[in-house]
Structures are given as C-alpha cells and as structure tokens.
Amino acid sequence: MKLLDLFITSSIPVGKILVITGIGFYLALDRVNILNQDARKQLNNIVFYVFSPSLVASSLAETITYESLVKMWFMPLNVVLTFIIGSFLGWLVIKVTKPPSHLRGIIVGCCAAGNLGNMPLIIIPAICNEKGSPFGDPETCEKYGLGYVALSMAIGSICIWTYVYNLMRVLARETPIIIGTSSTVPLIPTKVVQVEEQFGTWSKIKQRVCSATENINLGTIFAPSTIAALIALGIGLIPTLRKLLIGNTAPLRVIEDSVSLLGEGTIPLLTLIIGGNLLKGLRGSGMHKSVILGVVVVRYVLLPIIGVLIVQGAHYLGLITSEPLYQFVLLLQYVVPPAMNLGTITQLFGSGECECSVILFWSYALASVSLTLWPTFFMWLVS
C-alpha cells in the first residue's frame, strides 16, 4: 500500500473515536445533562461487570488454542515491558519537572499504564474492515485481532491493579486521604514509618513488602474482565469444552452467541463514557504545563520509538512470528494514551483526581494525532 493509503486507513478509526467521543462530551454538558456523573457511573458499572467481560470472553474463546497461545507467548512479556519502561520514563519526568509530591504517583501511573483495552478494541476492528487494509480478509483479521487485544487487555488489567496501583500508592505516601471533613488517613500508616526508622535496611525492605502485600486488593486484581479471560482460556484450551461451546455446530453455541452479542455493546458505550469523563479534565486548572508535556512526550514519542526497537529486535531474534497483524498489535501497545482506570485509582486515594483528569484530557486530545501517524508507520513497517 502507498503511504497515503496507509495514513487514510489509520485515520478512519481515529475519526470514528473522535465523533463518538464528541457525542459523549456533548451529552455530559450541564445544559444537556444526559450523560451526567451519575449516569456515567452507572454505565461504567454495566460495562465493567457485563459488557467488557463478555467481549473479552467471546474474543479469547474463539481464537485461543494451545497452538495460538504458544505463538503469543511474547505478548504478556511485551505488555509488562510497556509498564516497566513507562514507569522508568515517568520517574525521569518527575526528576526533570520537579512537580509537587502529590503528583508523583499520577505522573508515573500515566506514563506506565496504557489504554490496552478501549483504544485497541476500537482501532483494530476499524482498520481490519477498512478497504485496503494490509491485514487481509476483514473477518479473519477482526477475529484474530480481537483475540490478541483481549489477551493484552487481561494482562494489562492485572498489571494496573497490582503494579501501578501499589506504585502510585507508595509514591503518594506523603499525601493523606481525606475522609469526610474532619479526619485524614495517610496512605502509608504512621506505624510503618516508625518501624522503618527503628530498624536497618533489610527490615525496611521486609516491612515495605509486607505492607504492600497486605494492601493488595484481590477484588481489584481479579476484575470481571480478568476472570472472564481466565474462563475463556479454559474453554479455548480444553477440547471438550471448546466443542460444546464454540463453533456453528456446537450444541451449546447459544451461550457463545449471547455472550458475543453482549460484547458488541462494549465499544460504543466505552467511547461515550470517555467523552463524558474528558469534560472534567477540561474544567481542571492549576496543572503544570511541563508535567502535561512530559507525559505526552513519554507516551507518544519515547515509548513508541522504544516499542519499535523491542518488537523489531524480537522479530530479528526469532522470538515472534512474521504475522503482520500480531506485530502491529504488539507495536500498538506502546502508543496508546493513558488508561482511564487511573481516574478510578486517584478517586480511591481521594487525592489528585482533578489533576489526573487534566492529564487524561490533553493526552486523549492529542491521541488523535499519535494514533494516526504511528499506526500508519507501523502498518508500513510490518506489511
């Protein structure tokens, strides 16, 4: 394909995202008040507990077999690398911009955690169904593309609620959580700090590990989408269950069809919610421009460049296959905007919610440029 054709192909899904996001933004305005905060909260719960797990389960169960899982072994490692490299680059942003202490966790979180669910779920089907796509038959492309995305979304969800959640909590330990109007609770208990002062380095490390373990919330780690992914993996890998549930001749195919039907509602609802949430970021103020610029440079310049080097290096060493769609999804994991779950995490902490909304607003506003230019280059690279 010519470079112009690739650019047009990659710009179409971004245009669709912008249109639906704009509708969500409009519905959230005070004078319209259809997609207000309460409505978004209820919709988000429905997506979180019903639609998103359905999409993950249906996409994974249809595409995962023992052979395909062996072929995709590099994808979980790639997802973990995006988090580790992003958090290191976020630490560099902190060193350069010197933000207030309560913003450190937010900055590292925005640099580390990418939107491995919503954005790829929208982009991959749109590119597959676009005329002139370099990935072959649209139906096959979408089937396997969504399988790749579902696996990365499941791994990403685990990383967000274990690694990023606790990393942000530790970095924000000097900022208290305000409960009600008259009391504050520090993110790291005072008792822990006193113990660290009394004992040596090894005791400090041991105490920190124990503290982090005690504060890990298994309910957030095993989110509905993660549980759905584990169930789907079991169905896909066990031949008896696969024959019962998957395929046009399966006796219990009505279950798979019903789950797939629910999953189809995920993408439009998620996009509307994103549009409504961005309104809060537009109203935010007092955020350092250098911090926003630092996060944008990390997510849309440094991470994609590093991602190209890692994926191309893995291909050169024979660690991944030559399948263009698989390589494209691996590369796409390095260029997505920050995860929307970061807003939920700051809300749980009770600190930095407004600042996080500002960063998310500008990150998603500039994503239209990044998610057009980089995928164009990626398609040219892998085709």
Side-chain angles (χ1 to χ4, degrees):
M1 292 179 70
K2 295 180 180 179
L3 192 60
L4 179 61
D5 295 332
L6 290 172
F7 181 81
I8 294 172
T9 301
S10 62
S11 64
I12 294 299
V14 176
K16 294 178 180 178
I17 293 172
L18 290 176
V19 170
I20 302 177
T21 302
I23 294 173
F25 185 88
Y26 173 76
L27 294 176
L29 293 173
D30 291 338
R31 66 174 183 272
V32 179
N33 202 33
I34 294 177
L35 200 61
N36 55 35
Q37 186 173 354
D38 290 336
R40 293 197 303 274
K41 181 179 179 181
Q42 298 302 324
L43 275 180
N44 192 64
N45 285 335
I46 295 173
V47 171
F48 182 74
Y49 287 104
V50 180
F51 287 100
S52 186
S54 298
L55 183 61
V56 171
S58 60
S59 300
L60 266 183
E62 288 179 7
T63 56
I64 287 295
T65 60
Y66 177 77
E67 293 77 14
S68 65
L69 192 60
V70 170
K71 184 182 73 173
M72 292 191 296
W73 73 268
F74 186 78
M75 182 169 286
L77 175 61
N78 195 61
V79 172
V80 172
L81 285 175
T82 65
F83 280 81
I84 295 175
I85 296 171
S87 58
F88 173 73
L89 294 175
W91 175 78
L92 292 179
V93 171
I94 292 174
K95 292 298 181 182
V96 172
T97 61
K98 302 186 186 306
S101 59
H102 73 283
L103 294 180
R104 294 181 302 177
I106 297 172
I107 294 170
V108 172
C110 287
C111 292
N115 191 331
L116 298 176
N118 309 5
M119 286 303 181
L121 283 174
I122 298 169
I123 292 170
I124 294 298
I127 288 180
C128 288
N129 291 304
E130 187 62 27
K131 185 180 179 181
S133 170
F135 302 126
D137 175 60
E139 186 175 346
T140 304
C141 171
E142 183 172 350
K143 175 183 175 182
Y144 286 97
L146 286 178
Y148 298 151
V149 172
L151 179 60
S152 66
M153 181 165 60
I155 301 299
S157 177
I158 295 173
C159 290
I160 287 175
W161 291 108
T162 53
Y163 176 69
V164 174
Y165 175 83
N166 286 287
L167 185 62
M168 291 177 65
R169 181 180 60 82
V170 170
L171 288 174
R173 64 184 180 273
E174 295 178 1
T175 305
I177 299 177
I178 299 175
I179 302 177
T181 58
S182 59
S183 62
T184 61
V185 179
L187 293 177
I188 300 293
T190 306
K191 182 180 178 181
V192 172
V193 177
Q194 293 173 347
V195 170
E196 289 181 356
E197 291 174 350
Q198 294 173 5
F199 296 95
T201 303
W202 172 247
S203 298
K204 291 181 180 180
I205 296 173
K206 184 178 178 181
Q207 185 64 42
R208 285 181 181 272
V209 171
C210 293
S211 177
T213 304
E214 291 173 358
N215 284 278
I216 290 176
N217 188 340
L218 293 178
T220 58
I221 296 173
F222 292 99
S225 293
T226 307
I227 297 172
L230 295 175
I231 294 173
L233 283 172
I235 293 172
L237 295 176
I238 300 175
T240 304
L241 291 177
R242 187 175 184 84
K243 290 178 182 179
L244 280 174
L245 294 165
I246 308 299
N248 295 329
T249 59
L252 301 178
R253 62 184 179 275
V254 65
I255 297 177
E256 182 213 352
D257 293 341
S258 301
V259 173
S260 298
L261 185 62
L262 281 172
E264 291 174 0
T266 306
I267 295 173
L269 278 178
L270 282 174
T271 314
L272 287 173
I273 292 170
I274 288 174
N277 287 339
L278 292 182
L279 179 63
K280 187 171 185 177
L282 182 64
R283 291 169 173 170
S285 60
M287 191 69 181
H288 294 250
K289 293 180 181 179
S290 60
V291 171
I292 298 173
L293 179 62
V295 172
V296 168
V297 169
V298 166
R299 291 232 60 99
Y300 298 148
V301 179
L302 299 181
L303 271 177
I305 293 174
I306 295 172
V308 170
L309 296 176
I310 290 175
V311 175
Q312 290 299 297
H315 180 246
Y316 177 78
L317 296 173
L319 300 177
I320 60 176
T321 66
S322 299
E323 183 188 346
L325 180 61
Y326 182 56
Q327 292 187 32
F328 179 79
V329 174
L330 291 176
L331 290 166
L332 194 64
Q333 292 169 351
Y334 288 92
V335 76
V336 290
M340 296 300 293
N341 282 333
L342 295 171
T344 304
I345 292 175
T346 56
Q347 194 170 27
L348 291 173
F349 289 165
S351 174
E353 187 179 358
C354 181
E355 291 87 347
C356 184
S357 296
V358 174
I359 294 177
L360 290 177
F361 172 80
W362 288 108
S363 297
Y364 279 82
L366 295 173
S368 59
V369 178
S370 175
L371 289 177
T372 299
L373 296 178
W374 279 112
T376 300
F377 174 70
F378 294 160
M379 285 190 287
W380 171 81
L381 189 65
V382 303
S383 61

